[in-house]
Amino acid sequence: MCLPWQCAELCWPKRDVLWYTDICMKYDALLFDLDGTLLDTLGDLYTAVNAALSSRGFPLRSIDEVRQFVGNGAATLITRAVPEGTPNAECRLIYDAFVSYYAAHCTESTQPYAGISCVLDAVRARGVKTAIVSNKDDLATRKLAAHFFPGLFDVVYGNRVGVKRKPAPDAVLEVLARFSLSADRAVYIGDSDVDIATARAAGMPCISVLWGFRDEAFLRAHGATLTVQTPGELLCAVSER
């Protein structure tokens, strides 16, 4: 386990041992988005999108375009990436190509954001439950969680058949039920407007991180009330003395 004051990546504003040993947690559970919150997945998503587009002879997209397309699941990502007016059957072929390519290459350039594993270690050491609720395909979500964060999450949910995607609160409420917690005893942590809307729909607080795929102005415009710039600030935001 990496303790906060031992973690060179954490860059938290309160690094002394006495502060850490005297704190308790504000919440009984932390629920996280995946892409742009826990993991920087943009490079692998960008490569997979363009591999899929190229396989059908479509024009490629820039990495900044892909950044703006993500957040609502793979099907929506592909719908946004293809030229307007592309037939549904063609979109399905590109989607299938994307899913296949991404499954084989999703860990090539993806990395956890510096310090995020230290945060997970710190809160779990204090008995806080942790979960991932993502719009990414469930298989890919579980694969990435197992690869980068083994043993650090109690529940991992991606996009599953029969469960409405975020911003619908269904998956979040399912996690709360599994933890036997009310919404006010947990917090949702994400990097997008979708995450803010998800937390609001579930009746729970939200912390918006600024190291992900959306900037502060965008998040504030979509209702963000609490933002953090580093994982160290995130740890402080979920802690109290």
Side-chain angles (χ1 to χ4, degrees):
M1 184 182 72
C2 179
L3 297 176
W5 61 87
Q6 298 171 330
C7 182
E9 296 178 337
L10 195 52
C11 300
W12 68 334
K14 300 179 179 179
R15 300 184 65 128
D16 58 286
V17 176
L18 290 177
W19 182 86
Y20 175 74
T21 55
D22 195 33
I23 64 171
C24 59
M25 296 288 107
K26 290 181 181 177
Y27 305 102
D28 296 318
L30 306 185
L31 282 61
F32 291 85
D33 175 49
L34 183 63
D35 299 69
T37 302
L38 296 167
L39 293 175
D40 184 356
T41 55
L42 185 58
D44 286 329
L45 289 169
Y46 163 71
T47 301
V49 165
N50 280 334
L53 292 171
S54 178
S55 72
R56 303 298 299 172
F58 282 94
L60 305 185
R61 292 293 193 168
S62 71
I63 195 165
D64 285 335
E65 286 176 318
V66 174
R67 182 194 306 274
Q68 298 306 314
F69 295 159
V70 300
N72 295 87
T76 302
L77 169 60
I78 295 305
T79 299
R80 291 168 175 169
V82 299
E84 186 175 354
T86 300
N88 288 338
E90 191 69 28
C91 288
R92 182 67 201 190
L93 291 173
I94 296 171
Y95 170 82
D96 289 343
F98 168 82
V99 169
S100 177
Y101 186 96
Y102 188 68
H105 301 277
C106 65
T107 61
E108 290 191 358
S109 67
T110 290
Q111 291 292 329
Y113 288 102
I116 203 69
S117 293
C118 295
V119 172
L120 295 170
D121 280 338
V123 300
R124 289 181 64 83
R126 279 175 154 56
V128 175
K129 297 287 188 182
T130 52
I132 294 173
V133 178
S134 173
N135 277 342
K136 186 187 287 291
D137 173 76
D138 190 57
L139 183 62
T141 300
R142 292 177 182 275
K143 177 179 179 179
L144 289 168
H147 181 81
F148 290 107
F149 306 111
L152 291 180
F153 286 96
D154 300 290
V155 177
V156 176
Y157 286 155
N159 183 34
R160 295 166 293 153
V161 175
V163 180
K164 292 180 180 179
R165 292 179 306 179
K166 301 182 302 180
D170 300 43
V172 167
L173 296 177
E174 187 177 343
V175 171
L176 294 177
R178 285 189 60 172
F179 290 163
S180 299
L181 293 175
S182 58
D184 64 319
R185 294 308 309 151
V187 62
Y188 194 82
I189 300 162
D191 73 308
S192 74
D193 53 320
V194 174
D195 301 317
I196 296 167
T198 301
R200 185 184 301 118
M204 64 193 304
C206 181
I207 300 174
S208 299
V209 306
L210 300 182
W211 56 77
F213 300 161
R214 303 290 186 267
D215 62 26
E216 184 170 13
F218 178 92
L219 293 171
R220 292 286 184 187
H222 287 82
T225 56
L226 176 58
T227 61
V228 293
Q229 296 189 20
T230 68
E233 288 187 9
L234 174 60
L235 182 57
C236 290
V238 300
S239 305
E240 60 187 2
R241 296 193 72 158

